[in-house]
Amino acid sequence: RVRRRRLVATLAVALLTIPATVWVLDSARHLVTPSAGNANFIEHDERSALNFLAQDHESGGVLTRFYLGTTIPAETRRSTFVVHCLWSQPDCTGRAKDAQELFDGTLSAPEARSFVLGTGAHFVLADCQTSADLTRMLAPITRQVRRFGCASVYVVG
């Protein structure tokens, strides 16, 4: 009788835990699979831009897209306008949305310049997914543009 209860309990635990474990492992696989716009996958050119920011002696924070912003503090020892929401307050969601609109090109040139200047960032890091023509949009407020293949760093000021 005790053996039968132990067998039933073991089967019940297996029926509950095995499907949940498979689901969690599948979810984790999707989260860590390299893909564009995911900090788990940084293009070679984006890495070169990060290296430039890490080695440049000018001080100043960085404005970039949310996913790449998570790498800025660790990789460059610089502050960033948007990073993990625990650190991007107030209005993390609004900050991420505004940055996304800049890099997607949905802001007009005057709006883009006003936004960039309003962030106080000294550098704008355009990742390989950027579709906006930031060179044209930010020209009046940029001092220098450094290109690293598909990534670019704009020095503001």
Side-chain angles (χ1 to χ4, degrees):
R1 184 165 264 243
V2 172
R3 291 172 97 185
R4 186 178 189 110
R5 284 186 185 174
R6 189 174 293 167
L7 178 62
V8 169
T10 301
L11 287 174
V13 168
L15 285 173
L16 293 172
T17 59
I18 291 173
T21 302
V22 170
W23 181 81
V24 167
L25 289 173
D26 187 57
S27 296
R29 182 179 57 82
H30 288 295
L31 286 173
V32 299
T33 299
S35 61
N38 181 335
N40 293 324
F41 179 72
I42 297 174
E43 298 273 355
H44 173 75
D45 296 337
E46 293 166 342
R47 164 62 54 202
S48 297
L50 289 168
N51 289 340
F52 166 78
L53 289 168
Q55 295 168 2
D56 190 85
H57 297 295
E58 280 190 65
S59 62
V62 180
L63 170 61
T64 192
R65 221 183 279 265
F66 185 84
Y67 89 92
L68 204 49
T70 61
T71 66
I72 295 295
E75 297 294 327
T76 69
R77 291 193 165 94
R78 295 180 183 276
S79 61
T80 183
F81 179 71
V82 66
V83 68
H84 192 281
C85 280
L86 290 176
W87 302 332
S88 296
Q89 295 299 329
D91 191 25
C92 175
T93 303
R95 286 174 176 235
K97 180 183 147 299
D98 292 344
Q100 187 73 32
E101 288 176 351
L102 171 70
F103 296 106
D104 286 347
T106 57
L107 299 178
S108 68
E111 289 171 328
R113 290 190 293 271
S114 176
F115 169 64
V116 170
L117 291 173
T119 68
H122 186 62
F123 300 95
V124 176
L125 170 55
D127 62 4
C128 292
Q129 304 303 311
T130 298
S131 57
D133 182 1
L134 294 182
T135 301
R136 181 190 57 78
M137 293 171 68
L138 302 180
I141 63 169
T142 55
R143 220 173 6 100
Q144 178 185 19
V145 179
R146 296 291 307 261
R147 301 205 186 283
F148 303 91
C150 61
S152 299
V153 174
Y154 298 83
V155 183
V156 178

